[in-house]
Amino acid sequence: MQLRLVPTLALTAVALVAAVGLLPGAAGAKAAKAGPAAATSPSPAPSPTATPEPLDKAVPRLEARLKTDPNDKAAMTELAADYLQINRPDLAAGLTQKLLTAGTKTAQVYYFDGLAQGGLGHQKESLASLEQAANLEPTNPGVLGTLTNVYLQTNRPADAERIAKRALTFNKDDKNAYMAYGQVLATEGKYDLARQQFEGAAKIDPKDPRPVLMEAQTYSSQNAVALAAQLFDRAVAIDPTNVEALVGKARVAASQHNVKDAMATYEQIFTLQVDPTDKVAVIDQEAILYANEKMDTEAAAAYQRAIAQFPNVMSGHTAYGEYLLAKSDKAGAEREFIAGAGSNRDQVDALARLGQLYAGQNQIPKAIEQFKRVTEIAQNDPRAHLLLGASYSANKQFDKARDEYKASYNLQHTPDALLGLGQADLQVRNYTECSQVYDALDKGAPDLSRQNPAILYGLGQCYQGAKQPDKAKAAYQKLLSYVPPKSQAATQIKSLIDAIDRQQKPAPKKAPVKKA
């Protein structure tokens, strides 16, 4: 193991390129409809009861009602539900928090708050509210189903299985309870037991393709393509317009290099789409299929077809740019990403990809320009600020990097943001905050310290800068235990410890001068 005793920037230009893939974009969200079929949800996180009137009328009516009486708890609860339905968890959370603070601690309010906090990415708060809702209504299938999903998302399969079992015990006629329990079992790799649950759900409602799709996914996970194909066909037979079933069918054909059948299915999906963005997403899938089969002429033609038929859908340019980049045509990729960003430069996906391209070419000022624009569009996206902070760090603008890392961390408490903040603090000699940050990283994520020795090195440097040599020495000694005893890194660390010891060693007393 070779230890570099120079603090590594949180995201170098190369790491920055890889990190761009974390950014969500409008195009990516749309493409999911016709893209890979992820594990099917047993039921969309149980949503609030639909309002009997259209939301575009219900929301203004309830908002007006609250202006008249700001303490109308019934109106607040109903409006929170409506805000969730229009994908405004921020507004819903404001209402649910007000209700809880005022003492309205019902299962319904806790449930809505859990959904809202989850929509904002606040997993800890979401889980706490959903657990409260489950405590108040311990047999409610909707609450238990949502809580099960959150436990799975937070990597707590044992808790997920416990809650899913409870839901099924008290709701034996509820197909969603069977699917939720099956999903937990599938996550744990207990595929045979999972399939039993999915078949149980299918028996309750033979016209619902979802349990069949979930069963198909278990076979896909085991690479049993033929069995998965049979179930996708079964799901299509139940509902010929089910896009997820058709996508599964197309992907199975593609995995078997059956281009003809895969393309026929994708064209079937294409005809079912109404939104132009979704139609472009399907064409892009066709292009990816051609590209994977080394049919480059057909792949390029498909991308160009999407752009020609739907010139106002910028994601077509972005997808084509990614293809050109994969073919090492960086100039063509840059052209398409710029086009994909739109005349107002407001398409997050294209801007992020353009920033990725520039970072990979070490054109950091240009990368900064793109990621700065991303933060302007997606102000509440912690990853956008993280990428801009990394770009500033790579350009040695550590004061600006510090602000962006802090903004990212305030939005989502990730180790990456904290690591970047600590490294930027060290560079600008903000030793007090720097030592606090590195210490929090070391204590909160000890495995990360083992994987990234720059954390303990940075901690030692910060303590030295803060004139705390004993703590600096302790950090270096801990770091020393992580490296091979006779390595160059060990030698360097020992020299740092010896230097501290020499500085702390009291000066020898001078011998008294003898009088003549």
Side-chain angles (χ1 to χ4, degrees), residues 120-184:
L120 294 172
H122 303 160
Q123 285 191 328
K124 182 179 179 181
E125 293 80 358
S126 173
L127 185 57
S129 287
L130 290 171
E131 287 176 333
Q132 288 286 0
N135 289 337
L136 292 168
E137 289 194 15
T139 65
N140 186 301
V143 172
L144 297 179
T146 304
L147 181 56
T148 297
N149 285 337
V150 174
Y151 277 140
L152 286 176
Q153 292 166 10
T154 53
N155 197 28
R156 293 172 60 176
D159 287 323
E161 183 171 350
R162 172 177 57 83
I163 295 299
K165 278 184 178 179
R166 186 207 300 177
L168 186 57
T169 299
F170 290 100
N171 302 276
K172 290 190 179 295
D173 295 327
D174 188 331
K175 63 180 179 181
N176 290 320
Y178 282 92
M179 287 190 283
Y181 186 34
Q183 185 178 21
V184 173

